[in-house]
Amino acid sequence: HVLCSSVCDPHTNLLAEQPDYIITCVVCLGFTTKFVILQFLKVQTMETQSRLPRVKKTALTLLKIPLLFLLLYIFICSLDILSSAFQLAGGKTAGEIFQKNIVLSNPVAGVMVGILVTVLVQSSSTSTSITVSFVSSGLMDVQSAIPIIMGANIGTSVTNTIVALMHAGDRDEFERAFAGATVHDCFNWLSVLLLLPLDVATGVLRHMSQAVVNTLRLSSRDKPPELLKVLTKPLTKLVIQLDKSVLTALATEDQVQMNKSLVKHWCKSAVMKVESQLSGLLSCLVKSFTISFFVCKHLFANSSLSDLAIGLILLVCSLLVLCGCLMLLVKLLNSMLKGQVSNVINKIINTDSPPPFTWVTGYLALLAGAGMTFLVQSSSVFTSALTPLVGVGVISLERVYPLTLGSNLGTTGTALLAALASRAEKLAAATQVALCHFFFNLFGILLWYPIPATRLPIRMASALGKCAARYRWFAVLYLVLFFLLFPLVVFVLSMAGWKVLTGIGVPVIILIISVATINFLQSRRPEFLPPKLQNWNFLPVWLTSLQPMDDLITRVTLCCLHTFCCFCCIRSGKRYFSVQFLTIS
């Protein structure tokens, strides 16, 4: 009784410490029953309320992980379907571009063709495969194919730049994402600007690749496994299947295949039968193959629509799915990678190794990017997956730069594997083209990474990110200008001949170099310049700032919105008055 009274005493705090005595207290002291039960329920309720948020948070976190992988899988599949849509919409145009004879003799036109074709088909491997077919068939030599490979390297970076546009809703996110995407563009453009003239003058890439091919004893192998295709093909083949041999036939002017549709309507399967034949004491095994054709099982197998119509349908649908997945991925990453989790990941990914091995971290990131790209066998997918991580602040621009460079090297490993799987008559040409691609990216890394002062792509991408965050329309202008209009204009000038291209291109290049030099001197050594050139105040505002253009675009946008709103209000007002009139009548 003394024990019970001490435990049940409302002035003591032993109830929460010794809940086992509650039932004893209820039996011994009837007048304290109500108090004890209320205290017990209160303690249990508080404990339950404190546990529920933690259990709920843990359960939500565990559910977010498979949801993250599901969204990433759909995101990668939508990229694959987007590539198929571009091939359907512009694949035949891309194949016809390769038929232009100017490509065979003009390296500048070759670079522009590589950019345009890769942007049209959204696949550098497709444009490279067409180039390999040209080289192996004797229609193009390796020296003429190298500029096309360089252009394909630039064109493949358009995908992650498109992905960065989906972050335009948040200014800070958009600045980081656009900078992380365009660092790949800047690296490729700078590498081409330096290595193209060097290769045209010396043929260094061709000589090195030829030496390697002559040294190696090459033999044709089976087709290497494609990890990414193995994962995405079960879903994407239910949506669309393409006959990519038609693109190669268009480029090589194969009249039999040129009129065929890119959409695969008939699929074939080969069944091998092994039969044993006995003749006296000798026996042998006879292998026979039975090839059967059946209608392919995808959405457009029985469709009568043209390739362009199917391509446009898939383009719109894949872009919608891509945008939806990307928005959900960003929100999911923001919810998962905030607070202490974000700090831990930032420390792991963005922290350098302790001195004196600080320089090793970047090279480890470069190797990691090469390895991941080699595993997924797609640089576009890898760099596009990095862009949202840069946008939400998980990976810094300085860290994503070596990852991107490693991705460039990893995709050349994929091309080498594909080349080694070629047929015997195409093996040497395919391997040499793939080695040219490898040496081009390797020399680009040696130019723009080992010395911190030469890492110009980081500074250029950072400036582009700040500009795009301030003027949102600049991102779309950059995308259209550098991946469509500029290559198209240069290609047209190249077709007009060397004199026209030189007469227009040389003054433009001199003007750009002069402006860049003056800008550098204005910021570092203004005393070296005449007083007139120490600033740009003597020029019109629209030549020195994007603000006038931004004001014009803002006014036009507001005017269009105002007109649209007034039209909607007038229409709704007419309906309102007609309803009122009917009511009064």
Side-chain angles (χ1 to χ4, degrees), residues 317-362:
C317 295
S318 58
L319 281 175
L320 289 175
V321 174
L322 184 70
C323 297
C325 284
L326 190 60
M327 292 171 62
L328 292 174
L329 272 172
V330 171
K331 290 188 176 182
L332 197 60
L333 288 171
N334 278 326
S335 65
M336 293 177 65
L337 305 176
K338 63 182 179 181
Q340 295 182 353
V341 178
S342 178
N343 295 332
V344 170
I345 294 177
N346 277 325
K347 287 180 181 179
I348 293 174
I349 296 179
N350 298 320
T351 303
D352 293 329
S353 302
F357 302 105
T358 307
W359 57 274
V360 176
T361 310

Side-chain angles (χ1 to χ4, degrees), residues 458-472:
I458 295 179
R459 294 194 285 273
M460 294 172 63
S462 180
L464 287 172
K466 292 177 181 178
C467 187
R470 185 175 181 182
Y471 310 107
R472 309 293 177 89

Side-chain angles (χ1 to χ4, degrees), residues 570-585:
I570 290 172
R571 292 191 62 186
S572 61
K574 285 182 178 180
R575 290 197 298 268
Y576 173 75
F577 286 128
S578 62
V579 171
Q580 288 292 333
F581 176 74
L582 290 174
T583 304
I584 294 170
S585 301

Side-chain angles (χ1 to χ4, degrees), residues 18 26 63 68 94 100 127 171 213 223 296 345 364 389 397 410 412 468 471 477 514 519 554:
Q18 303 183 36
V26 172
L63 286 174
L68 178 68
K100 305 295 182 181
S127 54
R171 193 177 296 273
V213 169
K223 188 177 180 181
C296 297
I345 294 177
L364 291 177
L389 296 176
L397 179 61
T412 60
Y471 310 107
L477 177 65
S514 302
N519 275 328
T554 303

Side-chain angles (χ1 to χ4, degrees), residues 193-232:
L193 288 176
L194 283 184
L195 293 178
L196 179 65
L198 177 66
D199 184 70
V200 170
T202 62
V204 58
L205 296 179
R206 178 174 60 85
H207 293 314
M208 291 183 66
S209 61
Q210 186 64 53
V212 174
V213 169
N214 293 336
T215 303
L216 298 176
R217 295 181 178 180
L218 300 175
S219 59
S220 185
R221 302 177 183 178
D222 295 333
K223 188 177 180 181
E226 296 182 351
L227 177 63
L228 189 65
K229 293 293 183 182
V230 171
L231 295 175
T232 59

Side-chain angles (χ1 to χ4, degrees), residues 352-385:
D352 293 329
S353 302
F357 302 105
T358 307
W359 57 274
V360 176
T361 310
Y363 292 96
L364 291 177
L366 196 147
L367 292 175
M372 290 298 297
T373 305
F374 185 78
L375 285 177
V376 301
Q377 299 202 351
S378 175
S379 60
S380 297
V381 170
F382 180 69
T383 54
S384 299

Side-chain angles (χ1 to χ4, degrees), residues 151-359:
N153 221 46
I154 295 174
T156 192
S157 60
V158 70
T159 308
N160 50 329
T161 309
I162 294 174
V163 170
L165 296 179
M166 309 306 157
H167 295 264
D170 186 282
R171 193 177 296 273
D172 294 333
E173 271 191 23
F174 189 43
E175 179 181 346
R176 292 191 295 264
F178 196 76
T182 53
V183 72
H184 195 189
D185 310 343
C186 297
F187 168 78
N188 288 328
W189 278 107
L190 289 174
S191 299
V192 169
L193 288 176
L194 283 184
L195 293 178
L196 179 65
L198 177 66
D199 184 70
V200 170
T202 62
V204 58
L205 296 179
R206 178 174 60 85
H207 293 314
M208 291 183 66
S209 61
Q210 186 64 53
V212 174
V213 169
N214 293 336
T215 303
L216 298 176
R217 295 181 178 180
L218 300 175
S219 59
S220 185
R221 302 177 183 178
D222 295 333
K223 188 177 180 181
E226 296 182 351
L227 177 63
L228 189 65
K229 293 293 183 182
V230 171
L231 295 175
T232 59
K233 196 174 181 179
L235 180 60
T236 56
K237 73 176 184 180
L238 297 177
V239 180
I240 190 67
Q241 296 182 38
L242 300 184
D243 187 2
K244 295 186 178 181
S245 62
V246 178
L247 287 177
T248 306
L250 283 169
T252 55
E253 299 187 25
D254 187 348
Q255 299 296 330
V256 178
Q257 300 285 338
M258 284 179 65
N259 296 324
K260 289 181 63 176
S261 171
L262 277 170
V263 180
K264 186 182 288 186
H265 295 284
W266 293 94
C267 299
K268 62 181 179 180
S269 63
V271 179
M272 183 179 67
K273 296 181 179 179
V274 180
E275 299 177 355
S276 177
Q277 293 183 355
L278 300 175
S279 57
L281 297 176
L282 299 176
S283 64
C284 62
L285 297 178
V286 178
K287 297 181 180 180
S288 62
F289 290 89
T290 303
I291 299 177
S292 60
F293 290 88
F294 58 92
V295 178
C296 297
K297 296 179 181 179
H298 58 88
L299 291 178
F300 300 94
N302 297 317
S303 175
S304 58
L305 297 174
S306 63
D307 288 357
L308 179 60
I310 296 175
L312 293 177
I313 293 171
L314 288 177
L315 182 64
V316 173
C317 295
S318 58
L319 281 175
L320 289 175
V321 174
L322 184 70
C323 297
C325 284
L326 190 60
M327 292 171 62
L328 292 174
L329 272 172
V330 171
K331 290 188 176 182
L332 197 60
L333 288 171
N334 278 326
S335 65
M336 293 177 65
L337 305 176
K338 63 182 179 181
Q340 295 182 353
V341 178
S342 178
N343 295 332
V344 170
I345 294 177
N346 277 325
K347 287 180 181 179
I348 293 174
I349 296 179
N350 298 320
T351 303
D352 293 329
S353 302
F357 302 105
T358 307
W359 57 274

Side-chain angles (χ1 to χ4, degrees), residues 32 69 107 119 133 171 206 224 235 276 285 298 301 417 435 498 501 544 568:
T32 60
F69 282 105
V119 170
S133 299
R171 193 177 296 273
R206 178 174 60 85
L235 180 60
S276 177
L285 297 178
H298 58 88
L417 280 182
L435 286 171
W498 271 105
L501 180 63
T544 59
C568 293

